[in-house]
Amino acid sequence: VAVIAVQICKLMKLVEYPSFQLSTAVKWAPVNLLFCGMLFTGMASLQHNSVPMVTVFKNLTNIAICFGDFWFFNAKVEALVI
């Protein structure tokens, strides 16, 4: 439904975007596969952990990423980010 709605908007000149190109789709295929893998592992983690535990892991991941940004890239992390 969303694809049809966006295509209608393109025909009405409400939005602009380039036409489909197979080469672009091939370049983005690994990103799509990684995203699907992330969704799968997130669902699979619920078989072994409770929902609150998965939520804690997801929140700790954000803190670990901020620490990695600071450690490896010397990026300053604002207090509101954490």
Side-chain angles (χ1 to χ4, degrees), residues 1 4 7-8 14-15 19 23 39 42 54 57 59 62 66 71 76 82:
V1 175
I4 294 170
Q7 189 65 28
I8 290 171
L14 297 174
V15 296
S19 298
S23 62
L39 292 177
V54 172
F57 285 147
N59 291 336
N62 293 337
C66 289
W71 184 263
K76 302 295 180 195
I82 296 177

Side-chain angles (χ1 to χ4, degrees), residues 52-71:
M53 185 59 70
V54 172
T55 303
V56 168
F57 285 147
K58 286 174 71 175
N59 291 336
L60 287 175
T61 301
N62 293 337
I63 294 172
I65 288 172
C66 289
F67 178 73
D69 283 345
F70 176 76
W71 184 263

Side-chain angles (χ1 to χ4, degrees), residues 34-46:
L34 288 172
F35 178 73
C36 291
M38 181 194 66
L39 292 177
F40 174 75
T41 56
M43 290 292 194
S45 69
L46 290 172

Side-chain angles (χ1 to χ4, degrees), residues 10-47:
K10 182 179 181 180
L11 292 173
M12 295 172 53
K13 308 272 189 213
L14 297 174
V15 296
E16 292 181 21
Y17 58 90
S19 298
F20 177 79
Q21 294 179 355
L22 186 59
S23 62
T24 304
V26 169
K27 288 178 186 175
W28 278 94
V31 175
N32 290 327
L33 290 174
L34 288 172
F35 178 73
C36 291
M38 181 194 66
L39 292 177
F40 174 75
T41 56
M43 290 292 194
S45 69
L46 290 172
Q47 293 177 345

